[in-house]
Amino acid sequence: MRPYEMSLSAAADAIRARQLSPVELADSVLERIEQVDPQLRAYVTVTAEQARRAAREAESDIAAGRYRGPLHGIPMGLKDLIDVAGVATSASSRVRADHRAPADSTVAARLSAAGAVLVGKTHTHEFAYGLTTPQTNNAWDTGRVAGGSSGGSAVAVAAGAATFALGTDTGGSIRVPAALNGVVGLKPTYGLVPRHGVTSLSWSLDHVGPITRTVEDAALVLTALAGHDPRDPASLTTPAVDYRPGAGTDLTGLRVGVPRNHYFDHVDTEVEAAVRRAITRLRALGARLVEVEIPMTRYLQATQWGLMVPEATAYHESTLRTVPELYQDDVRILLESGELMPAGDYLRAQRARTLMRQEWARILREVDLIVAPTVPATAVKADQETITWADGTVEGVSDAYVRLSAPANITGVPSLSVPVGHDAAGLPIGMQLLGRPLGESTLLRVGHAYEQTQPARQLARAV
């Protein structure tokens, strides 16, 4: 196995045992970027010189006995909303073409302190305002969408062009591209991972989290990221914990909620079949399946857009008025539409969110987690604008992709997307686990248990 093919956990074990050099690993990943990124376009900036310097420092520190833990010497990509001192943060937009961060974001600083090695900044849908990341191609089929807005991060991890990466998730933007590219994506509880130094899309919906090859990898990254930061007003004061799951696969006594509505409505038959097979596997591991009714489903997308659109427009108010021509048309139109939204609609969306949170809390007292498809369809073709369902219903691609992921953003509950197979075209399918606030340990334990029963996943095949 070549170093770039290794999971974070495997690479960390090899580095700690002095069987793999951080320099060797960084060189392997950088060579992989050179090989595949011209076709995939996952990266907006590659920091090769900085990465090699950091890898040499990691190698020297480890040789001197200053090992910092499992992220020490591990190559990572960061979504181009996340500030790193001296490196451009463009948000994949001409509006930020000349912007260089004066200081590290909290998450970049924490990963640097853990010894991770930055290899580059990954593409996003402009300012994270979309579900496709149009600059980037899917890692399994370059003629299909990568998913967004953290598409660059998901594609880089899926293709071996980063050992792990960070994304942001406002309506599904970690989990959607993770599902479409066959990797693991974790949206933590709202406020668990600080957002200071991360460009905002919608302050009350934004989350930062890891995209990785395995569930155990996601747990390792979350352990480094989580913890209070007073510079983020939403940051929780929850004590830091070690999120690494145990090795066992026994889920006896765990109550798994299976939705009877919403999450399996207008879902591709192959996606539904794969997810239901995975649910059956959880039952075989000892979990008890419980049917649940998802509340207030008719209001979900209206609430998501009612919160996100005015908050995004408020963030961009100055540049929207001074340099509107620098935005891509799709993003500019969304931002301008936010100026027309009445304040009453925003307040009604806030009230709806409060009711939804209360109802989800009630359901999650009855079950330990909920399982569902991450997205209702696999990756569509790059020029495809709509999906037609079996009953003739036509749905926009972005609306379809956000429909199953947005509830976790509205309510703030954690959600983990795990690969559960491929469709007949070889495109990945994802299952999401949704849990109680601060229930990441349970989600990671269940995801890891499922993963242990499956064949080892391979890197994406597109290039």
Side-chain angles (χ1 to χ4, degrees), residues 189 192 243 368 414 434-445:
T189 301
L192 180 62
Y243 290 98
D368 298 296
L434 303 104
R436 298 168 183 159
L438 300 177
E440 281 79 2
S441 293
T442 297
L443 300 187
L444 292 162
R445 178 169 72 90

Side-chain angles (χ1 to χ4, degrees), residues 284-308:
L285 296 176
R288 179 163 65 91
L289 305 185
V290 180
E291 274 201 346
V292 295
E293 183 84 12
I294 303 301
M296 301 178 66
T297 57
R298 62 182 293 190
Y299 304 110
L300 281 168
Q301 286 188 275
T303 301
Q304 172 74 18
W305 289 102
L307 295 166
M308 182 172 65

Side-chain angles (χ1 to χ4, degrees), residues 34 76 79 129 132 171 183 220 243 245 265 296 339 341 438:
E34 289 182 1
M76 66 174 176
K79 185 176 182 178
Y129 215 165
T132 58
V183 290
L220 293 174
Y243 290 98
D265 299 339
M296 301 178 66
E339 296 187 313
M341 182 172 287
L438 300 177

Side-chain angles (χ1 to χ4, degrees), residues 295-423:
M296 301 178 66
T297 57
R298 62 182 293 190
Y299 304 110
L300 281 168
Q301 286 188 275
T303 301
Q304 172 74 18
W305 289 102
L307 295 166
M308 182 172 65
V309 171
E311 290 181 359
T313 298
Y315 182 85
H316 288 271
E317 182 177 17
S318 176
T319 48
L320 185 61
R321 293 179 179 177
T322 55
V323 289
E325 70 280 0
L326 296 183
Y327 289 92
Q328 297 296 318
D329 287 346
D330 62 330
V331 172
R332 178 180 52 78
I333 290 168
L334 283 169
L335 291 172
E336 289 174 345
S337 69
E339 296 187 313
L340 305 176
M341 182 172 287
D345 287 353
Y346 179 66
L347 294 175
R348 278 186 282 275
Q350 292 281 16
R351 288 197 291 268
R353 170 163 54 191
T354 298
L355 294 174
M356 288 179 191
R357 283 175 170 169
Q358 292 171 348
E359 287 299 300
W360 274 72
R362 177 185 57 79
I363 293 171
L364 288 167
R365 285 193 294 269
E366 299 170 1
V367 296
D368 298 296
L369 72 157
I370 294 170
V371 294
T374 306
V375 287
T378 54
V380 300
K381 294 180 179 178
D383 59 353
Q384 186 173 332
E385 296 182 355
T386 61
I387 297 173
T388 302
W389 301 111
D391 64 359
T393 300
V394 178
E395 187 174 22
V397 168
S398 290
D399 287 339
Y401 283 159
V402 78
R403 173 160 46 88
L404 305 187
S405 54
N409 297 88
I410 295 169
T411 59
V413 302
S415 178
L416 174 72
S417 181
V418 181
V420 291
H422 297 77
D423 67 9

Side-chain angles (χ1 to χ4, degrees), residues 34-35 49 77 124 131 147 150 164 180 188 216 219 244 258 319 333 335 341 378 400 404 444-445:
E34 289 182 1
Q35 176 190 2
E49 182 178 340
T124 172
L131 270 295
S150 304
F164 76 93
L180 299 186
E216 183 179 8
R244 284 177 288 189
V258 181
T319 48
I333 290 168
L335 291 172
M341 182 172 287
T378 54
L404 305 187
L444 292 162
R445 178 169 72 90

Side-chain angles (χ1 to χ4, degrees), residues 140 182 270 274 277 378 419-429 457 461:
W140 290 83
E270 290 185 90
R277 283 194 298 270
T378 54
V420 291
H422 297 77
D423 67 9
L427 299 171
I429 296 169
R457 290 191 292 272
R461 68 181 188 193

